[in-house]
Amino acid sequence: MSFLSVGWLYFLPLFIGLLFYLRRHGQQERHDRARFEKTKQSGISEPLTLHPVIDTNKCIGSGACVKACPEHALGLVRGKAVMVQPDHCIGHGACETACPVEAISLVFGTEKRGIDIPQLKPTFETNVPGIFIAGELGGMGLIRKGVDQGQRAIQTIAKKKSKSGELDVVIVGSGPAGISASLAAKEAGLRFVTIEQEDGLGGTVYHFPRRKLAMTAPMQLPIIGKFNRYEISKEELLEFWNGVIKQTGLKINFMERMDSLQKTGSGFIVKTPKAEYKTANVLLAIGRRGTPRKLGVPGEEQSKVVYRLIDAEQYRGQHVLVVGGGDSAAEAALAIAAEPGTTVTLSCRGDEIYTRPKEKNRQLLKQAVEKGRIKVALHCGVKEIQQDAVVLEQEGRRGQIKNDAVIVCAGGTLPTPMLKEIGVMVDTYYGTAVPR
């Protein structure tokens, strides 16, 4: 056999492999480019949370970041990594770690949309001694991050345990950060109280739609030990958290909202509708949903008005108004509209319901409207909520629709003014890199 023949036998498999690679790479790039163009056309080019910025001068198009992204927000366009679906990004940060050439930086906010983030030390203490922040309010919404931050904040508090008769810490919120902090406080023998404005634990996860998957990673919980799951449904995760509470005997004061936070000579006073707590430290472990934003209209105090959807089945056969323009509003409307005999009207102040929600929700909503299962009222505001009707104003004209229930999905108000009032420094990030 000639040298040339031997050479072909050696290089032919490599050549065939290269052809397959280039073909698959080309197909993937065409797919990513189509997603990117669709995103630009829909007007959703703003990421909603902590997100990556790619330095195209450094990027070598390895695709490692694309594979690492759990929400498929990244893609390759013209051989460079691109945020092809920014609204899918959950701030996971795996892309930054995966990049082999350090071409990715994680940032808060964008040039157009700023995000307020309190100034925090590595111990998660603010510039005001005794005020700590962990989890979403500090800009990190991942479950494992919240768990880690909650217990690290408590470790700092435990080192300066109060000698007076006051509490060592009041923990506000029972999401992942709050539960982790409460377990750490119990383990350290601290005097503490955990308050939660909702009737159940879980924080932001509590507000997820049914069967929604929550991204997790291996994490170490005080008292409990290692939790080793990468993907888990909302129901499974809440079942796990409730099992933790039962196993450890942890007490959480549900349906108790923090109304005010005041500085005193030796610490702080946390006031709620039920009690007043004197404490040396406060750990804010609340989500960025904050306290549900109300409409401020006559009749809103009625029991038929709620601020989250728990179970769509309870609205079967009713006339329901959903108010809001984001994913939570779209998901609530879709879930209720799936119930037999239900009439659903979705009202939003602009036309953002067709741009803000994720692509999947937008498509499902469009289909539901075309089939007549949901009526969407754009540029519409609620003016009055009556016992069996709602008064709406749309582009200057008022009208009344029959109504049995109102679900307000208008986001929440954060305690930023309260924090600033007691001296906590808050920075607004406009596409600014995360402080190291």
Side-chain angles (χ1 to χ4, degrees):
M1 186 178 291
S2 68
F3 176 78
L4 187 61
S5 299
V6 173
W8 268 109
L9 286 174
Y10 181 77
F11 285 108
L12 186 60
L14 293 176
F15 181 71
I16 293 173
L18 179 62
L19 283 178
F20 274 110
Y21 169 79
L22 292 174
R23 182 182 178 186
R24 191 170 72 173
H25 185 79
Q27 290 174 338
Q28 184 62 50
E29 175 144 344
R30 285 192 293 273
H31 174 68
D32 290 341
R33 189 177 298 184
R35 291 169 62 204
F36 186 51
E37 291 300 322
K38 195 171 184 180
T39 295
K40 289 196 294 185
Q41 291 171 11
S42 68
I44 304 179
S45 57
E46 296 280 302
L48 305 176
T49 182
L50 178 72
H51 63 279
V53 168
I54 298 101
D55 185 339
T56 55
N57 292 321
K58 290 183 178 180
C59 180
I60 59 174
S62 70
C65 59
V66 178
K67 294 177 183 177
C69 178
E71 295 293 307
H72 310 294
L74 291 165
L76 290 176
V77 177
R78 297 184 182 88
K80 302 289 184 179
V82 173
M83 287 274 285
V84 292
Q85 287 188 281
D87 58 318
H88 282 209
C89 182
I90 59 171
H92 193 278
C95 54
E96 182 190 37
T97 305
C99 180
V101 293
E102 299 183 350
I104 293 178
S105 299
L106 297 179
V107 304
F108 287 114
T110 67
E111 291 182 3
K112 297 179 181 177
R113 182 180 58 83
I115 294 181
D116 289 336
I117 304 293
Q119 291 183 7
L120 298 178
K121 300 175 183 177
T123 57
F124 302 100
E125 189 172 23
T126 67
N127 62 291
V128 177
I131 298 290
F132 293 77
I133 292 176
E136 271 195 316
L137 186 59
M140 297 291 182
L142 293 174
I143 293 171
R144 62 180 173 84
K145 291 282 189 181
V147 166
D148 179 59
Q149 292 175 3
Q151 56 188 306
R152 284 170 62 187
I154 293 298
Q155 288 169 3
T156 301
I157 291 170
K159 292 175 182 178
K160 53 175 185 175
K161 194 171 180 180
S162 175
K163 296 180 180 179
S164 65
E166 61 191 10
L167 295 169
D168 294 304
V169 61
V170 170
I171 300 167
V172 184
S174 67
I179 295 173
S180 175
S182 300
L183 290 172
K186 185 179 180 69
E187 187 175 52
L190 300 183
R191 292 165 296 177
F192 72 100
V193 168
T194 302
I195 60 174
E196 167 59 56
Q197 68 178 4
E198 302 284 1
D199 57 2
L201 50 79
T204 298
V205 176
Y206 186 62
H207 294 272
F208 282 177
R210 291 161 67 182
R211 295 180 295 279
K212 179 180 174 70
L213 291 178
M215 300 304 300
T216 65
M219 53 192 177
Q220 193 76 21
L221 283 164
I223 301 177
I224 298 299
K226 193 171 185 179
F227 177 77
N228 195 17
R229 290 284 294 272
Y230 284 87
E231 195 174 87
I232 187 170
S233 71
K234 165 191 173 176
E235 288 76 15
E236 290 175 318
L237 187 55
L238 292 181
E239 183 180 358
F240 168 73
W241 289 131
N242 281 301
V244 167
I245 301 302
K246 186 176 181 180
Q247 178 182 339
T248 60
L250 194 64
K251 182 183 177 183
I252 297 176
N253 296 350
F254 293 111
M255 298 297 289
E256 189 168 358
R257 182 188 69 252
M258 180 180 71
D259 283 339
S260 68
L261 172 59
Q262 300 173 358
K263 184 80 173 74
T264 65
S266 59
F268 305 91
I269 295 178
V270 175
K271 291 185 179 180
T272 76
K274 298 180 179 180
E276 184 175 292
Y277 303 103
K278 292 182 178 180
T279 178
N281 302 278
V282 177
L283 173 58
L284 299 175
I286 59 178
R288 294 194 70 82
R289 292 178 63 95
T291 300
R293 182 177 287 110
K294 296 190 175 183
L295 300 175
V297 299
E300 191 174 10
E301 72 286 347
Q302 297 178 67
S303 60
K304 73 172 186 175
V305 181
V306 298
Y307 300 89
R308 58 183 169 84
L309 175 65
I310 299 178
D311 187 4
E313 190 176 350
Q314 72 181 91
Y315 297 104
R316 181 174 296 177
Q318 297 186 22
H319 297 276
V320 181
L321 173 68
V322 179
V323 182
D327 276 302
S328 58
E331 289 167 357
L334 288 164
I336 297 169
E339 295 298 326
T342 306
T343 302
V344 182
T345 301
L346 177 56
S347 167
C348 60
R349 288 184 293 182
D351 57 6
E352 64 272 15
I353 194 64
Y354 288 128
T355 57
R356 271 181 55 196
K358 292 183 175 64
E359 172 66 17
K360 182 181 178 181
N361 285 336
R362 295 199 305 273
Q363 291 302 319
L364 290 173
L365 184 60
K366 183 179 178 182
Q367 294 170 14
V369 171
E370 290 173 349
K371 293 178 181 178
R373 290 169 37 218
I374 297 175
K375 179 182 178 182
V376 175
L378 303 178
H379 306 285
C380 183
V382 178
K383 292 301 175 182
E384 184 182 353
I385 301 173
Q386 300 172 354
Q387 187 174 354
D388 56 2
V390 172
V391 178
L392 300 175
E393 183 174 278
Q394 188 174 29
E395 297 180 339
R397 291 178 295 179
R398 291 200 178 195
Q400 186 173 290
I401 61 171
K402 194 171 182 179
N403 179 261
D404 299 306
V406 177
I407 301 172
V408 182
C409 303
T413 56
L414 294 172
T416 306
M418 186 190 303
L419 294 177
K420 290 181 178 179
E421 190 175 325
I422 62 173
V424 174
M425 301 294 292
V426 177
D427 294 328
T428 303
Y429 289 83
Y430 290 93
T432 312
V434 180
R436 296 294 180 184

